[in-house]
Amino acid sequence: MGDRRAVVVVVGLILFIFLRSTGDDSTWKSFGVFAAATAAEDIFRVGVILDLGMTIGKISRSCIAMAVEDFYAANPRYRTRIELIFRDAGSDPVTAASAGWSISDSGVIENLSYSNSSACELDLSWSFSPPQVSDGGSIYHLTTACLQLKIPPPAIFVSGSIQTLTTLELVKEKEVHVILGPQRSIQAKFLIDLGNRTHVPIVAFSAKRPTLSPSISPYFLRAAMDDSTQAQAIADIVEHFRWREVIPIIEDSDYGNGMTPFLVDELQSRGAAVPYQILIHLNSSASAIAAELRHLRSNRTRVFIVHASHELGTMILSQAKAEGMMGDGFVWIVSYGLILSPGIGHGVIGLKPFFPQSLRRKDFVKRWARRFEEFGPGPALMDPTAFGLWAYDATWAVAIGAEKVKSRNLNFLPGDGDFGGLGRSAVGPELLQAISDVDFEGLTGRFHLAERQRESSILEIVNVVGDGLTRVGYWTRARGVNMDLRRPVVWPGGGWATPKGWEWPTEGRTLKLGVPVKPGFEQFVNVTWNPMTGSHEFSGFCIQAFLEVIKSLPYPVLYEFKAFDDGHGNNNGSYDDLVYQVFLQEFDGVVGDVTIVANRSQYVDFTLPFTDSGVTMVVPVREGQSRSWWVFTQPLSWDLWLASLCFVLFTGLVVWLLEHRVNDEFRGKPSNQAGTVFYFSFSTLVFAHREVVSNWARFVVVVWVFVVLILTSSYTASLTSMLTLQQLKPTMTDLGDLIKRNERVGYLNDSFLPGLLKQLKVDPMRIVAYSSPDEYAAAMDRGTENGGVGAIVDEIPYLKVFLNKYCGKYAMVGPTYKTNGFGFAFPKGSLILPDVSRAVLNFTESKVFEELERKAYGTKDCPAESFKMAPRSLELCNFGGLFLITGATSGGALLVFLVSLFLGNWSHVCSIFKTEASLPSKLLSLLKLFDQKEEEVSPREEMAVGAAAATSAASTVVAGDPGSGFPSQMQSPLSISSCAFEQGDAESIVDNPPLEDNEAPDQGVVDRGSV
């Protein structure tokens, strides 16, 4: 090392003296670059493993070379330099294994001898037997030759492939400190174990297989996003456009197969079906690809996802265009390894990593386009693609990491005997940490390895329009798809309307629809045999409904009805059997009176229902008018009767308390007052109560009269319904009555009802199947005692037909058990199902549907619904709010009255409580205070008013006719009132105090109202 430094110094001094003597500035600058390079003491050797036979390999090589040049041009004073050692790994592990070695004309592979510490040698000879290689008993596939091992193989074959030979040569002979690459995931997984053993970091920029996890491989770093991110984005695009079925077209290689399971899982988690996948080998011919595409075209799916390398992907898309699969209705989604390929097809959409715009990247792209031509013939590309930019940034990261390493020991330490005695890089752990900690702004944005892997970034959704790309949206992991409304997607064929993702029919395919054959209810499905045509004819409500629905679809659908019969005019099994035929792919659907139930939905998908839903029962009816003497008590329940009585008495008591001091009609003997309370209370029920004078009492009475009005009206209505409407009464009201009476129950043959009845605790031995309305009526007429049934349990549509025929004799009663009505059945995941369901919804709201219902159910106005439940007594809970209002009103008025009474007589109340009397005596005094009639004027006011009245009366007598005994002039109101008081209330004068000397002898107490 010291001799080398001395030589460099001497040569540098000679050049320095020579250049200074010439005075050429340009030559001097070149020497400055040379001097900076030669002055670097630490050379980090970087192995680069690429597949130079592929476009991505060529792009990556050019970008890596330019990255080294740009990095040291920008950092000329760095003390480290990286030296690139390129190796062509080929297109598969075997080709990679033989990189750098040749085969002689004699057929013997040259330069493949390898000696380990035991001096054992490999003799690998050419053979034309089936391509195999033996590894201690294991067989490995080769593409061209059979390698015959003449001695037990060395440890270098434990990885399962001789691809490791290239890396071994880089590590053992070249002693590289870092490996950039390899290009393919299958090559990377062979290197990871070697990197872990030798402490050589493996920095991959295009091996994106998610299973290659840096978290479990300490010396593996990924400088790109893995394919799981792309799989999520593609699945979100499918979900955004509501495509329900897609077909992936995958390259049959490690590159393609690595993303496939993640893509399928993401699609299925979003509800998109993947009926099958198309795997195309790298070496497939154009004719083989065209045959696969023709097979795809014959199917209904029109959404295809292509994940392949540039060469294979462009061939697939060009063949699709030749087969007419780039027209209207088709959707092509490509991964970002293919989207930048020129001429892939107008209307294709794909993903592209989003890189922020910068002058630096724009300048690099221009320089790269010129530089790329130096690497031989290839496709004319104007962009280095994401892989090239990732390779560029990865190279910068390695260079920055190398500069950060403080250790000067760049040698390899002795190994532990494994891998033929390979050593371990002394600087490997420190270099690994330095690269992992790198954080800078690269061409692709911020370069930072989170857990030794490039963080997920934004993806662009791009659309191929002509020869260019148009960004139509973005995708992020947090927000999913965000489309740019200003830039609508141009789809294959040039249209802007989003394709529905499937096409029906395909290649003239006709739907084969099964129809049940069940005589009895021909109103719904009627299948008859026409001997003239030798075929079945189909009619009925369900058939007509289906015809109307299919006719309203926005595209034509070819179909034919097939009778599900046994050859004798009967159903060939139950309805469950018919539905299961769809699951077995015997039918493409079922049209008929098929009820939507849970167990059937496990095998098929149903449209929305087009009939009433629910199961109930029909029973005979009989005369049911009540003849009881006490029928008048039935409208109200016993708790409501009791509550009404209590509030009647409570309201009467409150009114008596409020009126006792001011109203003479509420005064008198206790027995009379008790009668007054009861009489007043009950008289309010018929609005015959006496007048009250207290405002608080009036308020209470008004509210109570309102409550009484509602109570009496409700009572009258309920009693009327019991006496007039309930002319007929069902023999039973619910299924519980049937079970208690041990009645037999009838149901419709070939239906799901036996299972439902079993759930409802009906004895299976007590149920009987019938097939027509006539059989229903005959069975109920006989009754259980005579071999019939007590009731029929069936779905509401059937019972409507039955009651329309036998109106008045039977009634639909009891609770309705939930079902979902009739629906059309299609296979699971059927693409036509959503459109048919929408058409069903529109059909059920149309007048055509109403007309078909009238035709099926009839036009008779049969009052069957009036028998669903007998009138029931009114309960307390129905009037709880009213009782709360009147109770609060009465209680509040009474409280205010008592407070006013005690406050108005506060001095008297205080004097009562200040006495030494016992508590009962005090309470008695308070009661006496309450019992006193409220005086309307004070004694002093009464005497003053009486004197004025006497004076007025005397003057009137003097001015009048002495003989008449009446005043000669009209008397004033005051004198009239005074006279009226003297004549009418003579007894009250006796009770007044003695008159004063100056008062008139005939003066009385005058009422305040006449003053």
Side-chain angles (χ1 to χ4, degrees):
M1 193 67 174
D3 295 339
R4 181 175 178 274
R5 291 181 181 176
V7 172
V8 171
V9 171
V10 171
V11 173
L13 288 175
I14 293 174
L15 288 174
F16 175 76
I17 294 172
F18 172 75
L19 291 172
R20 291 297 293 173
S21 63
T22 61
D24 190 347
D25 290 340
S26 61
T27 306
W28 174 252
K29 291 179 181 179
S30 299
F31 171 75
V33 175
F34 168 78
T38 57
E41 297 183 359
D42 298 330
I43 303 297
F44 281 81
R45 288 174 294 280
V46 179
V48 185
I49 301 178
L50 299 171
D51 181 2
L52 298 179
M54 299 187 67
T55 304
I56 296 299
K58 297 175 182 179
I59 292 174
S60 301
R61 178 174 180 175
S62 62
C63 291
I64 291 173
M66 293 179 66
V68 174
E69 297 172 4
D70 293 348
F71 182 81
Y72 289 113
N75 303 284
R77 298 184 180 276
Y78 275 15
R79 62 179 178 80
T80 58
R81 290 294 183 272
I82 61 174
E83 176 186 346
L84 301 177
I85 304 174
F86 288 93
R87 288 292 182 267
D88 186 1
S91 61
D92 55 45
V94 175
T95 307
S98 59
W101 301 315
S102 61
I103 301 177
S104 66
D105 295 336
S106 61
V108 178
I109 302 177
E110 299 176 345
N111 300 325
L112 274 180
S113 61
Y114 174 81
S115 297
N116 61 8
S117 59
S118 301
C120 62
E121 185 176 5
L122 291 176
D123 182 6
L124 295 87
S125 59
W126 182 267
S127 171
F128 292 97
S129 58
Q132 306 174 8
V133 61
S134 175
D135 177 14
S138 300
I139 303 299
Y140 293 93
H141 175 73
L142 296 181
T143 56
T144 57
C146 172
L147 302 179
Q148 297 175 345
L149 302 182
K150 295 184 177 180
I151 57 176
I156 60 173
F157 290 95
V158 298
S159 64
S161 170
I162 63 174
Q163 187 268 342
T164 321
L165 287 172
T166 298
T167 310
L168 285 174
E169 184 260 343
L170 288 173
V171 175
K172 184 173 179 63
E173 301 298 334
K174 302 299 182 180
E175 292 188 346
V176 295
H177 303 95
V178 183
I179 293 178
L180 274 173
Q183 186 173 317
R184 295 177 175 273
S185 297
I186 192 172
Q187 299 165 350
K189 67 182 181 180
F190 296 145
L191 304 185
I192 290 175
D193 185 59
L194 181 62
N196 295 338
R197 294 172 182 268
T198 59
H199 293 182
V200 174
I202 310 295
V203 183
F205 53 84
S206 61
K208 309 184 305 303
R209 191 171 188 170
T211 54
L212 300 175
S213 175
S215 61
I216 60 177
S217 303
Y219 280 85
F220 176 62
L221 301 98
R222 185 169 10 229
M225 293 182 294
D226 63 36
D227 279 336
S228 64
T229 301
Q230 186 175 199
Q232 293 180 28
I234 292 175
D236 282 343
I237 291 174
V238 172
E239 182 183 31
H240 176 80
F241 289 106
R242 299 181 181 179
W243 295 317
R244 299 189 60 199
E245 195 169 276
V246 298
I247 296 178
I249 303 175
I250 307 296
E251 177 183 304
D252 191 9
S253 66
D254 187 73
Y255 169 75
N257 296 330
M259 190 181 78
T260 303
F262 296 91
L263 176 62
V264 173
D265 288 345
E266 293 291 343
L267 289 169
Q268 291 178 345
S269 68
R270 289 161 176 79
V274 182
Y276 50 87
Q277 308 166 31
I278 300 297
L279 297 178
I280 300 180
H281 195 269
L282 277 168
N283 298 327
S284 297
S285 63
S287 59
I289 295 175
E292 289 284 359
L293 293 176
R294 282 193 294 271
H295 173 70
L296 289 179
R297 185 174 182 177
S298 65
N299 288 279
R300 62 191 180 189
T301 307
R302 292 294 182 263
V303 181
F304 306 106
I305 300 172
V306 181
H307 179 56
S309 59
H310 168 78
E311 289 77 6
L312 182 59
T314 53
M315 183 183 297
I316 293 172
L317 293 171
S318 63
Q319 289 299 318
K321 185 176 182 180
E323 294 295 330
M325 298 176 67
M326 283 288 180
D328 293 336
F330 288 90
V331 177
W332 291 90
I333 306 173
V334 299
S335 57
Y336 57 65
L338 188 59
I339 190 63
L340 295 178
S341 302
I344 61 174
H346 181 77
V348 174
I349 61 174
L351 294 168
K352 174 185 171 186
F354 172 76
F355 302 137
Q357 292 290 342
S358 65
L359 295 176
R360 178 187 169 199
R361 184 161 72 89
K362 186 179 295 185
D363 174 69
F364 170 77
V365 172
K366 291 181 180 179
R367 292 188 293 114
W368 174 86
R370 295 191 299 267
R371 181 76 172 268
F372 186 63
E373 299 176 359
E374 301 175 6
F375 291 90
L381 297 178
M382 300 304 295
D383 193 291
T385 74
F387 298 105
L389 297 177
W390 281 331
Y392 184 97
D393 284 352
T395 306
W396 271 61
V398 171
I400 294 173
E403 181 66 23
K404 290 183 177 181
V405 171
K406 298 179 180 179
S407 174
R408 294 294 186 269
N409 185 7
L410 302 182
N411 298 321
F412 272 62
L413 303 177
D416 54 3
D418 200 3
F419 276 79
L422 287 178
R424 289 180 289 106
S425 173
V427 77
E430 187 178 356
L431 182 58
L432 173 69
Q433 189 61 43
I435 298 175
S436 301
D437 295 340
V438 166
D439 194 342
F440 68 97
E441 285 296 325
L443 296 182
T444 59
R446 182 192 176 199
F447 186 97
H448 174 68
L449 300 179
E451 298 181 356
R452 298 193 301 278
Q453 178 168 289
R454 191 73 181 269
E455 292 180 324
S456 300
S457 61
I458 302 173
L459 295 179
E460 294 182 69
I461 304 173
V462 292
N463 183 204
V464 179
V465 180
D467 295 330
L469 294 178
T470 301
R471 184 175 63 236
V472 294
Y474 293 95
W475 176 89
T476 61
R477 190 182 298 271
R479 298 185 178 182
V481 174
N482 183 15
M483 300 300 293
D484 189 348
L485 299 179
R486 299 170 300 176
R487 300 175 181 175
V489 178
V490 179
W491 301 101
W496 288 351
T498 302
K500 62 178 180 291
W502 59 277
E503 184 174 324
W504 195 280
T506 56
E507 302 295 336
R509 185 169 179 270
T510 301
L511 289 176
K512 186 168 64 173
L513 304 174
V515 179
V517 179
K518 185 177 63 174
F521 285 90
E522 292 82 2
Q523 293 85 350
F524 296 106
V525 177
N526 187 22
V527 180
T528 58
W529 177 258
N530 188 338
M532 301 295 296
T533 60
S535 62
H536 288 96
E537 294 181 352
F538 304 89
S539 61
F541 172 76
C542 297
I543 301 298
Q544 293 299 320
F546 180 79
L547 295 178
E548 293 293 334
V549 167
I550 290 298
K551 186 170 62 176
S552 66
L553 293 179
Y555 45 85
V557 176
L558 302 179
Y559 62 89
E560 61 176 342
F561 294 126
K562 292 290 185 179
F564 186 61
D565 66 344
D566 58 359
H568 301 286
N570 298 313
N571 222 27
N572 191 22
S574 66
Y575 274 54
D576 290 341
D577 297 330
L578 173 58
V579 170
Y580 195 66
Q581 296 303 308
V582 179
F583 179 76
L584 297 177
Q585 299 183 3
E586 295 294 331
F587 293 128
D588 296 317
V590 173
V591 175
D593 50 344
V594 181
T595 306
I596 304 171
V597 291
N599 67 318
R600 294 173 182 171
S601 64
Q602 297 177 6
Y603 306 103
V604 297
D605 285 339
F606 285 97
T607 64
L608 292 174
F610 58 90
T611 62
D612 295 330
S613 62
V615 172
T616 187
M617 70 177 186
V618 166
V619 297
V621 295
R622 56 180 173 79
E623 290 292 333
Q625 187 173 357
S626 177
R627 300 178 182 276
S628 172
W629 288 7
W630 307 99
V631 67
F632 68 90
T633 62
Q634 296 178 6
L636 305 184
S637 62
W638 66 268
D639 55 347
L640 182 56
W641 278 115
L642 182 61
S644 301
L645 178 62
C646 292
F647 273 90
V648 165
L649 297 177
F650 174 69
T651 304
L653 180 62
V654 170
V655 171
W656 178 81
L657 291 172
L658 296 175
E659 290 289 302
H660 180 69
R661 289 175 53 83
V662 296
N663 193 337
D664 288 337
E665 292 186 1
F666 288 83
R667 299 181 63 83
K669 298 178 180 180
S671 59
N672 292 338
Q673 296 306 300
T676 300
V677 170
F678 280 98
Y679 175 74
F680 180 84
S681 300
F682 288 98
S683 62
T684 57
L685 298 178
V686 292
F687 309 105
H689 52 281
R690 60 184 65 180
E691 185 66 27
V692 293
V693 298
S694 169
N695 287 332
W696 284 112
R698 291 170 179 170
F699 178 57
V700 170
V701 171
V702 167
V703 174
W704 172 246
V705 167
F706 172 73
V707 173
V708 168
L709 175 64
I710 296 177
L711 274 174
T712 54
S713 300
S714 302
Y715 174 85
T716 303
S718 180
L719 182 61
T720 301
S721 66
M722 288 182 177
L723 295 178
T724 60
L725 297 182
Q726 191 183 351
Q727 300 299 322
L728 296 175
K729 183 178 181 180
T731 55
M732 283 159 287
T733 57
D734 57 36
L735 203 57
D737 291 343
L738 282 172
I739 298 174
K740 291 177 182 178
R741 299 182 186 182
N742 200 26
E743 296 276 356
R744 286 156 54 102
V745 181
Y747 69 95
L748 183 61
N749 192 25
D750 289 340
S751 68
F752 67 96
L753 289 171
L756 177 62
L757 292 173
K758 184 177 180 180
Q759 294 178 10
L760 298 174
K761 309 301 182 182
V762 178
D763 185 359
M765 303 299 295
R766 305 295 291 175
I767 61 176
V768 185
Y770 297 102
S771 301
S772 66
D774 295 337
E775 293 182 6
Y776 282 1
M780 285 189 287
D781 289 344
R782 291 195 304 269
T784 302
E785 297 82 2
N786 300 315
V789 295
I792 295 292
V793 175
D794 206 345
E795 296 179 79
I796 291 177
Y798 296 117
L799 297 182
K800 282 185 175 180
V801 172
F802 171 75
L803 291 176
N804 181 71
K805 187 173 184 179
Y806 295 96
C807 183
K809 295 181 62 178
Y810 308 95
M812 199 186 311
V813 298
T816 299
Y817 302 98
K818 182 64 177 178
T819 59
N820 293 313
F822 297 163
F824 305 123
F826 289 94
K828 281 283 188 181
S830 174
L831 298 179
I832 199 176
L833 182 69
D835 292 338
V836 176
S837 290
R838 281 189 288 270
V840 167
L841 187 61
N842 294 329
F843 166 67
T844 55
E845 297 175 355
S846 66
K847 293 183 178 180
V848 177
F849 175 75
E850 296 177 0
E851 182 62 30
L852 290 178
E853 273 197 327
R854 282 195 294 268
K855 185 177 179 181
Y857 299 145
T859 57
K860 289 184 180 180
D861 187 15
C862 186
E865 294 298 323
S866 64
F867 305 116
K868 291 188 68 174
M869 184 177 293
R872 61 183 180 87
S873 300
L874 301 174
E875 298 179 353
L876 177 61
C877 60
N878 303 126
F879 301 94
L882 288 175
F883 287 131
L884 178 63
I885 293 173
T886 186
T889 302
S890 301
L894 180 61
L895 179 63
V896 173
F897 166 73
L898 294 176
V899 171
S900 302
L901 174 63
F902 287 117
L903 290 179
N905 299 274
W906 185 250
S907 58
H908 193 179
V909 172
C910 290
S911 63
I912 292 175
F913 280 98
K914 288 180 181 180
T915 61
E916 298 296 334
S918 61
L919 180 60
S921 300
K922 294 178 180 179
L923 294 177
L924 184 60
S925 300
L926 292 175
L927 289 176
K928 290 181 177 180
L929 174 64
F930 168 76
D931 187 56
Q932 292 179 4
K933 189 175 188 310
E934 184 176 328
E935 300 292 343
E936 297 184 352
V937 295
S938 63
R940 185 173 300 277
E941 290 175 337
E942 292 173 353
M943 290 186 293
V945 174
T951 304
S952 177
S955 60
T956 302
V957 171
V958 172
D961 186 359
S964 65
F966 294 95
S968 60
Q969 298 180 0
M970 183 176 294
Q971 297 175 333
S972 68
L974 180 61
S975 62
I976 295 174
S977 176
S978 178
C979 293
F981 182 81
E982 291 174 2
Q983 296 174 4
D985 291 331
E987 294 180 358
S988 63
I989 299 176
V990 179
D991 297 332
N992 286 334
L995 299 177
E996 298 293 338
D997 295 335
N998 58 351
E999 290 180 342
D1002 58 342
Q1003 182 177 355
V1005 178
V1006 182
D1007 183 73
R1008 178 187 294 178
S1010 60
V1011 177

